[in-house]
Amino acid sequence: MLKQVIKNSISLYMKYRYSKIISFGDSVFIDRRAKFSSHCKNAIKIGNNCIIFGNLSCEDEGRIEIGNNTSIRHNVSIRSVKSVKIGNNVIFASHIVVTDNNNHPVNPEDRKKMISSGWSTKFWKWKYSESKPVVIEDNVWIGQNSFIMKGVRIGENSIVATGSVVVKDVPANSIVGGNPAKVLKFDIQNEPRLLK
């Protein structure tokens, strides 16, 4: 009982601490190890009944929007320069990276300029990378140690298998896996129900 009271108190403190950059829904639990960063007010929106253990960061005009009943576990990193939208009832296992950008310029001359400019100059900002929005639709499960890369849309009810690198859109009701991720199974909505 005391442990739960302490956890809830820490969660309240975390909400207060990040209230300038995050809009929280009702019944959101924020773990003490969660981290958030943004230069914009309300850049991160978290829906109702969510559990957040991971790290969410926005740079430049980036936005992260999370629907209701979503669980983001330990060592999940979600990074945005443009937009990352996550639907309702989404489960993130641990050690996952979701990014809507390359984190660095692709052109070799730009990278040379970045490195020669020093470690803390403006050229190290994500805004100098290529970026495309990421959309993760409702009821998606993402297995641990997976990477979701820029410009990807993951269709509803899909599963991303453990250790996958998703670089292309994922059809709804499918399982993908591998590096790069490929469809392993279609029509999983017709699988037998186990929870009755």
Side-chain angles (χ1 to χ4, degrees):
M1 170 101 171
L2 181 60
K3 238 182 182 178
Q4 192 60 45
V5 169
I6 292 168
K7 278 185 172 182
N8 290 340
S9 298
I10 291 169
S11 180
L12 282 171
Y13 166 74
M14 294 294 279
K15 287 182 203 171
Y16 170 76
R17 179 178 173 191
Y18 291 108
S19 61
K20 286 191 168 88
I21 61 170
I22 302 175
S23 164
F24 293 101
D26 296 329
S27 301
V28 173
F29 175 80
I30 305 294
D31 186 72
R32 64 183 169 79
R33 290 163 286 198
K35 292 185 178 131
F36 306 93
S37 66
S38 175
H39 299 294
C40 300
K41 189 173 184 180
N42 292 326
I44 301 169
K45 293 185 179 178
I46 300 174
N48 301 323
N49 304 310
C50 292
I51 300 170
I52 311 291
F53 289 84
N55 303 323
L56 284 60
S57 30
C58 297
E59 191 173 293
D60 206 29
E61 298 299 316
R63 297 279 185 257
I64 297 172
E65 188 176 325
I66 299 169
N68 301 322
N69 306 309
T70 289
S71 172
I72 297 175
R73 305 311 290 177
H74 300 284
N75 297 311
V76 171
S77 178
I78 301 173
R79 309 172 195 151
S80 176
V81 172
K82 273 201 183 355
S83 170
V84 174
K85 288 189 179 176
I86 298 165
N88 302 314
N89 307 307
V90 176
I91 300 170
F92 287 84
S94 59
H95 303 279
I96 294 166
V97 174
V98 178
T99 184
D100 69 358
N101 63 85
N102 288 346
N103 290 334
H104 57 76
V106 174
N107 182 285
E109 292 303 315
D110 286 344
R111 290 197 317 273
K112 221 185 278 184
K113 183 173 185 171
M114 184 177 88
I115 291 167
S116 65
S117 70
W119 294 103
S120 60
T121 65
K122 67 178 186 171
F123 299 117
W124 286 86
K125 301 288 186 187
W126 294 346
K127 69 181 179 178
Y128 295 107
S129 63
E130 183 183 338
S131 59
K132 293 178 186 170
V134 171
V135 177
I136 299 171
E137 295 182 1
D138 294 346
N139 204 33
V140 168
W141 177 12
I142 301 176
Q144 70 181 28
N145 299 315
S146 293
F147 288 81
I148 312 300
M149 307 310 281
K150 70 181 189 307
V152 165
R153 174 180 287 271
I154 299 177
E156 70 176 328
N157 302 323
S158 292
I159 296 172
V160 175
T162 296
S164 298
V165 178
V166 182
V167 295
K168 292 182 181 174
D169 289 354
V170 173
N173 300 299
S174 65
I175 299 174
V176 297
N179 178 8
K182 293 182 170 76
V183 176
L184 304 175
K185 194 168 195 177
F186 287 105
D187 299 325
I188 61 172
Q189 77 273 17
N190 295 323
E191 291 292 309
R193 293 202 49 196
L194 302 176
L195 306 176
K196 297 177 183 176

